[in-house]
Amino acid sequence: MTIAVAYRPDDFGRAALDWAAAEARAKGESLLIINVHRVEPRLDTGHAKGRHLQDLTEGLANDNVPYELRQVEGENIASTVLFEAEQASASLIVIGVRPRSPVGKILMGSVAQQILLDSAVPVVAVKP
């Protein structure tokens, strides 16, 4: 079985990854880390790279958590996460959630909200 985690290189992504890794260890499952970028990876702050990526993968290897990292491009982040999780037959999706202002809720859709509403498998939302 696989636990999918939507990952961004920030406190919210780290909280999701930490929770998912602990759950994977407890259940003897593997992780699918999904890191989606919308544009050229060097220009996208949501793209994990360099030292950050090295620390992430070394930490999981040291904790003996089997994982696969998929860094994919997708215009709609939520749809891309859902597609990758489905392709891996994930039993669970873990996401980090951040607060949005009332104006932000009106003007922009929420990736987390779309994943919560459209996922065919359970979704766990965590905060740092």
Side-chain angles (χ1 to χ4, degrees):
M1 296 294 281
T2 300
I3 296 173
V5 57
Y7 183 75
R8 286 184 54 87
D10 60 18
D11 290 343
F12 303 96
R14 189 70 212 188
L17 181 62
D18 289 346
W19 193 95
E23 187 73 2
R25 272 192 305 276
K27 291 184 171 183
E29 296 186 15
S30 63
L31 283 181
L32 171 62
I33 304 164
I34 307 166
N35 179 227
V36 181
H37 55 91
R38 288 188 174 130
V39 296
E40 158 57 44
R42 292 177 297 165
L43 304 175
D44 192 334
T45 58
H47 182 71
K49 55 190 169 274
R51 183 71 184 158
H52 180 91
L53 192 57
Q54 183 179 352
D55 289 346
L56 179 149
T57 56
E58 285 176 359
L60 290 170
N62 289 340
D63 288 344
N64 293 317
V65 176
Y67 70 91
E68 177 187 349
L69 173 64
R70 291 189 190 168
Q71 293 188 293
V72 294
E73 184 173 344
E75 187 59 35
N76 183 312
I77 292 174
S79 294
T80 304
V81 167
L82 291 169
F83 174 80
E84 294 295 332
E86 182 180 334
Q87 292 300 301
S89 299
S91 61
L92 177 71
I93 298 174
V94 182
I95 58 174
V97 292
R98 64 186 77 239
R100 292 186 302 153
S101 70
V103 172
K105 290 176 187 176
I106 293 170
L107 296 177
M108 295 180 289
S110 166
V111 171
Q113 181 177 346
Q114 185 180 347
I115 291 171
L116 284 164
L117 295 175
D118 294 346
S119 178
V121 298
V123 178
V124 174
V126 298
K127 297 190 282 187

